[in-house]
Amino acid sequence: MKVSESSDEGRGLTGDELLALPAVIDLDTSNRALMIGRSTGYGLAKLGQYPVKVLRLGNAYRVVTADLLKLLGVERHQSEGGGRSENHSLAA
């Protein structure tokens, strides 16, 4: 039986996509950003070995986006007024 993949599966997230994420994301989105499979990601989360802290909320796993961005070396730059800046850059 052939399993069809959507065009988004199997590729990571771009820097712009990462910077557009909300404060907390589901484990599937985090897995995609890290380019790890669903089974691997959920297995690591269950064992407490996921690369960033995973929050367990009922039956759902959630990842704090700031932790994920830090792991990936992606920075969100704040404007001087404290609001969100539209100018983002990736850390080296």
Side-chain angles (χ1 to χ4, degrees):
M1 180 171 132
K2 184 177 179 181
V3 177
S4 64
E5 290 185 337
S6 75
S7 61
D8 287 341
E9 288 183 32
R11 74 165 181 88
L13 298 175
T14 66
D16 287 339
E17 289 172 329
L18 287 166
L19 292 168
L21 292 172
V24 178
I25 57 174
D26 60 42
L27 198 62
D28 288 327
T29 302
S30 181
N31 291 340
R32 189 169 149 217
L34 294 170
M35 296 185 72
I36 60 176
R38 188 174 202 273
S39 297
T40 299
Y42 277 85
L44 290 170
K46 286 178 185 177
L47 293 172
Q49 297 178 351
Y50 201 78
V52 294
K53 183 179 176 183
V54 175
L55 306 173
R56 180 79 189 251
L57 305 172
N59 291 329
Y61 290 108
R62 296 290 183 255
V63 172
V64 176
T65 303
D67 294 343
L68 179 64
L69 295 178
K70 184 176 179 181
L71 175 71
L72 295 173
V74 177
E75 280 184 34
R76 282 188 174 148
H77 290 285
Q78 296 289 325
S79 66
E80 287 184 26
R84 185 172 168 189
S85 172
E86 293 302 318
N87 296 322
H88 305 289
S89 68
L90 298 178

